[in-house]
Amino acid sequence: MEIILATHNKGKIKEFNELAKGTELNFIPVPGNLTFPKEIGTTFFENALIKVNFAFSLTGKTCLGDDSGLEVDALNGKPGINSSRYSKESTDESNMDKLLNELKGIPHEDRSARFKCCLVLIEEGTNKLISSEGTIEGKVAEEKKGDKGFGYDPIFIPEGSLLHTAEMDQKKKNLISHRANAFGPLITKLLSGPTEK
Ligand code: IMP
């Protein structure tokens, strides 16, 4: 079964296909290179919905939208839905630098945070909406470590781990990530038939 992922990002397509390994699902990018509408939602769900609605209106096929980000308790949930554009320059480096700066002096035990991911799927034919949320709890480190992954991975330490996420290989991260935790239940709902969505 083919599912159109509401993104032009090749890395995301690859990650979702890795998560779908062993299932009958195959993720492909939204066709063309039209710019996605602005993410003006106030929650991860609303922004995922904006993306999937756009892809579904273009294709009429089963589409999946996702939105994710990092919530830091000491900052009342910031950067949250603004994770990718937290700093003025909006690069991974500048976003992390801004966050580390804001948490300067805050002891390790008070640096709790979580990545959150919301997935919203619209099913071809039924037009049914299926959604799911996943999280991974952890702490914001005092310094960057590792060169794998993307975004805030160099400064995030998952609960129960000694490694920063950017020190983990992709397979290990995929086993525990917020996207993986949202993906499993979503696929169960999708493949469980017309009821119970
Ligand atoms: P989006 O879901 O593509 O809008 O991404 C939101 C932003 O959240 C990314 O640009 C990253 O800054 C951050 N983010 C989301 N997931 C991850 C992750 O797995 N690792 C590190 N940063 C992430």
Side-chain angles (χ1 to χ4, degrees):
M1 177 186 192
E2 215 157 64
I3 299 181
I4 294 174
L5 197 57
T7 185
H8 297 308
N9 182 330
K10 287 195 183 115
K12 257 192 191 169
I13 304 286
K14 191 168 168 247
E15 185 172 341
F16 275 94
N17 277 320
E18 263 161 30
L19 288 174
K21 251 186 198 149
T23 73
E24 57 182 82
L25 306 177
N26 180 32
F27 288 91
I28 57 168
V30 74
N33 55 1
L34 286 177
T35 309
F36 275 80
K38 272 209 167 121
E39 292 173 30
I40 53 167
T42 57
T43 60
F44 293 116
F45 175 82
E46 284 175 11
N47 283 336
L49 190 60
I50 288 171
K51 295 177 197 175
V52 74
N53 270 333
F54 176 71
F56 189 70
S57 67
L58 280 179
T59 64
K61 306 272 185 208
T62 298
C63 290
L64 177 67
D66 80 305
D67 197 51
S68 55
L70 180 68
E71 288 182 350
V72 179
D73 291 332
L75 301 175
N76 296 318
K78 284 198 295 181
I81 57 167
N82 295 313
S83 290
S84 63
R85 44 188 181 273
Y86 194 42
S87 61
K88 209 165 113 211
E89 300 83 350
S90 295
T91 65
D92 288 347
E93 286 302 318
S94 62
N95 288 339
M96 283 189 287
D97 289 342
K98 177 171 175 183
L99 189 57
L100 288 177
N101 211 27
E102 287 177 333
L103 293 179
K104 214 173 238 169
I106 296 189
H108 194 69
E109 63 268 24
D110 295 332
R111 298 169 77 98
S112 54
R114 70 208 49 80
F115 280 121
K116 264 195 184 167
C117 169
C118 182
L119 300 177
V120 182
L121 182 140
I122 303 179
E123 192 178 42
E124 178 179 356
T126 64
N127 288 10
K128 247 183 196 141
L129 207 112
I130 308 172
S131 69
S132 175
E133 234 181 62
T135 59
I136 173 172
E137 297 286 337
K139 293 233 160 61
V140 178
E142 285 79 3
E143 55 179 18
K144 300 172 192 167
K145 263 192 195 168
D147 56 8
K148 300 188 181 75
F150 69 100
Y152 297 87
D153 280 337
I155 58 168
F156 187 75
I157 308 173
E159 214 167 73
S161 168
L162 294 174
L163 297 179
H164 294 210
T165 325
E167 296 179 293
M168 296 177 173
D169 68 45
Q170 192 65 40
K171 278 201 181 115
K172 183 161 184 201
K173 185 185 161 189
N174 272 353
L175 288 175
I176 58 167
S177 80
H178 45 312
R179 261 178 296 283
N181 290 335
F183 189 77
L186 184 99
I187 296 316
T188 305
K189 286 184 199 173
L190 174 68
L191 301 178
S192 70
T195 52
E196 238 196 287
K197 298 219 164 146

